[in-house]
Amino acid sequence: MKTPLERLSAIGWAVAGALFLAMGVLGLAATDHLTEIPLLPGEKWWGGQIVYSPDMPYEAASKVARTLHATDRWGSSNQAQPLFVSSEGRYVWNEAAFDYAFGGGVLKLSRAAQEFEVGRSGGTLREAFLGASRRFFAPSGTMPADVLFAVPQYNTWIELVYDQREERILKYARDLIAAGYPPGVLMIDDNWQEDYGVWEFSGQRFKNPKGMMRELHALGFKVMVWVCPFVSADSATGRMLQREGMLLRDPSMIDGKKSAGDGPAMVRWWNGTSALLDLSNPKAQAWLRRQLQHLVDDYGVDGFKFDAGDSHFYSPSVSGHPVVSFAFRTREEHCMDWARVGLDFPLNEYRACWRLAGQPLVQRLRDKDHTWEAVRELVPGIITQGLVGYAFTCPDMIGGGLASAFDDPKKFDPELVVRSAQVHALMPMMQFSVAPWRVLDAELASYCLAAAKLHAEFGPHLLELARLSARSGEPIVRPLEWSWPHQGFAAIKDQFMLGDDILVAPVMVKGGRSRIVTFPPGRWRGDDGSIVDGPVQVEIKVPLSRLPFYRLKP
């Protein structure tokens, strides 16, 4: 016989399930808000989902219709922010997801559960961002761990894929040092653990994980391990979490007769079908933090790569734990709940995030293919991350995250790895995974090592910019339009500014040995010793060994 509390819980779940399903049928029509914003002459806009950054800035001639709702699986697989900022000082904000369309010289906003806030702060992109930042996502004053910026990062995915085991991880780390790479953060990727949701080192693949951690630390590495919000439902841990009400549930399984423990939502993702932690539930939050802190305290793990958490995994059939108010977390808010876990760990990384700009979370671009098109996505991606408030940014793994491409002669391009490393070198963070000494000849491998050493050389400057961003919210990587507004630079997305005084102009086309560089006003000293007086466009020579960058002279 059920207790009164259990009966109340079951009734609550029945009512909650019925309401949730009704909301799914009715959609947002009852609370829809509409706004149309005519674009000003020459006005450019950035914002929304990071994966669409190659299309930005949007302008009068743009023709796109997209949604920030989780129904856009591609758009929700990276960071998103319910914010748009313009080159004319205007901004748009909403606490909830919405649809947006650019066309006919108008920005149309719709299907939002809350009113839009449309404002103006000055008349430039910089002023628009700072005005929106102060109002909606003020900087926290803190930043992720220094080591994430100061030296390169290394991820075991490409070399080990799902065979993450003690001896192979140690070999990767020793080979990095032997090849001359500065030690930094080493990320142990998926399949080090016993099971999804069972966050213990696998006894089959790790004979002495504490000894492994001691050696990695002795080599100079900080160690992060991969985690996700998924749980193998048929494990002992999964059954316990289900019994304790810490998994997301499927309202269609709740009929008022079953106990509150029935009906876990099963979600298909890239590694199969799993249950999902309900991180809107404080009990589940506390449980996960205990698992992670155990890894820190008992094994010496330094931080975590928080993978997945994409809002589209939280499908319409999923609801959180019932509360007296019957308030529901949207799918986007579940994504935000997952990201908040990282706030307890200065060594963190996220690929998917919602509305946590200004916080000390590392935001990596979504996984890139091993293609030149993907290399060209890096600069607009990092620029857009900063312009929506995600300043602590990292491109994807150098050369892309598709492991099979590096062993396929038809797909693998050695030149692409070099140019990709150079694009990363003067960004806030750079992350190796494929071992250059394995896939490249000695000459090309030396160019990747030079990029790694250049990043370490700039480490103090990157840390200075990161600390400034933690206080002011300003991006670390900026478009030229940021510092030189209304001078025709807004559409440039194959160059970027590191802070206000370093112009970086990488080559991102196969076979490119020269390129046109656009110089803003001022006197610029190049990495090659050349002096250029701007504003001017200059064609420069760029051998494969060179990453062009220029400092603005005082």
Side-chain angles (χ1 to χ4, degrees):
M1 179 175 292
K2 294 180 180 178
T3 67
L5 182 61
E6 288 173 328
R7 287 197 296 274
L8 178 61
S9 181
I11 293 170
W13 268 107
V15 174
L19 287 173
F20 190 90
L21 292 174
M23 289 170 64
V25 172
L26 295 175
L28 293 168
T31 55
D32 194 15
H33 295 281
L34 306 171
T35 297
E36 292 194 1
I37 304 173
L39 271 61
L40 302 173
E43 188 172 27
K44 306 288 193 296
W45 289 82
W46 292 260
Q49 301 106 318
I50 302 303
V51 294
Y52 298 124
S53 57
D55 299 340
M56 302 177 204
Y58 300 119
E59 55 187 356
S62 299
K63 294 182 180 180
V64 298
R66 290 175 176 144
T67 182
L68 284 167
H69 292 282
T71 49
D72 180 355
R73 294 176 63 88
W74 179 257
S76 68
S77 66
N78 206 178
Q79 298 88 24
Q81 177 87 312
L83 168 76
F84 283 89
V85 291
S86 97
S87 58
E88 299 297 319
R90 300 201 289 177
Y91 58 79
V92 173
W93 174 264
N94 198 305
E95 292 290 321
F98 55 86
D99 292 354
Y100 63 95
F102 287 87
V106 176
L107 168 56
K108 298 180 180 180
L109 307 166
S110 62
R111 212 161 63 92
Q114 300 186 33
E115 293 278 1
F116 289 96
E117 298 198 45
V118 181
R120 185 160 197 159
S121 178
T124 68
L125 174 62
R126 187 176 204 154
E127 291 169 317
F129 172 86
L130 292 176
S133 172
R134 285 191 294 267
R135 185 167 181 184
F136 305 116
F137 47 92
S140 68
T142 57
M143 54 179 272
D146 288 6
V147 66
L148 290 160
F149 303 89
V151 283
Q153 305 166 14
Y154 310 97
N155 186 292
T156 62
W157 174 248
I158 297 297
E159 294 300 304
L160 279 60
V161 195
Y162 288 109
D163 190 18
Q164 305 284 330
R165 62 181 62 244
E166 184 177 314
E167 63 272 17
R168 298 192 72 197
I169 292 166
L170 287 171
K171 183 179 186 306
Y172 181 66
R174 294 166 187 152
D175 288 349
L176 281 164
I177 300 301
Y181 283 82
V185 170
L186 189 143
M187 299 182 184
I188 301 175
D189 217 285
D190 184 9
N191 211 33
W192 63 271
Q193 71 281 0
E194 283 284 357
D195 203 349
Y196 298 115
V198 184
W199 303 116
E200 288 284 352
F201 283 93
S202 165
Q204 291 184 330
R205 296 185 294 278
F206 294 84
K207 301 304 180 186
N208 184 11
K210 292 183 181 180
M212 177 192 72
M213 293 296 298
R214 286 194 295 271
E215 180 171 347
L216 291 173
H217 287 151
L219 289 170
F221 293 99
K222 295 289 186 181
V223 184
M224 297 169 66
V225 298
W226 181 97
V227 294
C228 68
F230 295 108
V231 176
S232 293
D234 60 352
S235 66
T237 298
R239 288 189 289 274
M240 179 277 293
L241 293 169
Q242 177 184 343
R243 186 172 60 252
E244 296 296 321
M246 290 189 273
L247 298 179
L248 287 168
R249 307 175 185 184
D250 183 344
S252 67
M253 300 288 290
I254 301 163
D255 59 12
K257 297 179 182 178
K258 297 180 180 180
S259 73
D262 289 343
M266 300 304 294
V267 179
R268 290 192 63 83
W269 60 299
W270 64 82
N271 280 335
T273 302
S274 303
L276 260 171
L277 279 172
D278 179 6
L279 292 170
S280 68
N281 184 342
K283 187 176 180 180
Q285 295 173 18
W287 176 85
L288 178 59
R289 287 187 172 93
R290 286 196 301 273
Q291 310 313 303
L292 302 184
Q293 193 62 45
H294 159 65
L295 291 166
V296 172
D297 294 339
D298 294 346
Y299 290 99
V301 168
D302 299 294
F304 302 94
K305 172 181 176 175
F306 294 94
D307 206 357
D310 315 39
S311 58
H312 69 258
F313 289 130
Y314 304 95
S315 67
S317 64
V318 172
S319 66
H321 70 297
V323 293
V324 175
S325 66
F326 294 114
F328 289 91
R329 302 295 281 168
T330 67
R331 287 177 283 178
E332 295 78 28
E333 289 170 328
H334 278 298
C335 175
M336 186 165 60
D337 292 335
W338 172 237
R340 282 199 173 106
V341 177
L343 294 174
D344 289 341
F345 304 96
L347 275 171
N348 63 70
E349 181 194 274
Y350 283 89
R351 174 187 51 75
C353 195
W354 171 257
R355 226 186 68 197
L356 278 182
Q359 298 301 310
L361 299 175
V362 172
Q363 306 287 353
R364 176 177 62 83
L365 293 181
R366 68 154 288 130
D367 306 49
K368 300 297 182 187
D369 293 331
H370 184 76
T371 66
W372 286 99
E373 180 183 9
V375 172
R376 288 188 288 274
E377 292 174 354
L378 298 177
V379 172
I382 294 292
I383 285 174
T384 306
Q385 281 182 319
L387 291 180
V388 300
Y390 297 123
F392 307 124
T393 56
C394 181
D396 189 35
M397 302 166 187
I398 288 166
L402 185 63
S404 61
F406 295 96
D407 296 311
D408 185 344
K410 294 181 180 179
K411 296 180 180 179
F412 178 59
D413 187 335
E415 182 181 343
L416 184 150
V417 178
V418 173
R419 291 303 196 191
S420 177
Q422 292 171 347
V423 177
H424 282 235
L426 293 183
M427 286 186 170
M429 303 176 194
M430 73 182 307
Q431 187 175 121
F432 287 90
S433 188
V434 69
W437 59 88
R438 178 178 70 85
V439 298
L440 303 177
D441 65 30
E443 179 183 0
L444 298 188
S446 73
Y447 300 156
C448 289
L449 179 59
K453 290 183 175 180
L454 180 65
H455 184 88
E457 178 185 333
F458 272 77
H461 186 60
L462 292 167
L463 282 171
E464 178 184 348
L465 290 172
R467 290 170 184 142
L468 173 64
S469 181
R471 298 191 302 271
S472 70
E474 293 182 88
I476 298 171
V477 166
R478 306 163 186 176
L480 275 64
E481 180 71 17
W482 182 272
S483 297
W484 293 275
H486 311 310
Q487 297 185 43
F489 300 143
I492 294 175
K493 47 193 175 186
D494 64 348
Q495 303 175 199
F496 63 91
M497 296 298 302
L498 182 61
D500 278 331
D501 60 355
I502 297 177
L503 172 67
V504 187
V507 169
M508 295 174 286
V509 294
K510 184 175 177 61
R513 298 297 183 269
S514 66
R515 64 157 294 164
I516 301 293
V517 180
T518 299
F519 292 90
R523 172 159 286 194
W524 300 86
R525 178 182 294 276
D527 60 291
D528 60 352
S530 63
I531 300 292
V532 179
D533 290 315
V536 67
Q537 286 189 325
V538 177
E539 183 174 6
I540 64 170
K541 299 297 182 184
V542 191
L544 192 52
S545 59
R546 183 186 181 197
L547 168 64
F549 64 92
Y550 298 81
R551 294 180 184 269
L552 180 62
K553 299 188 69 175

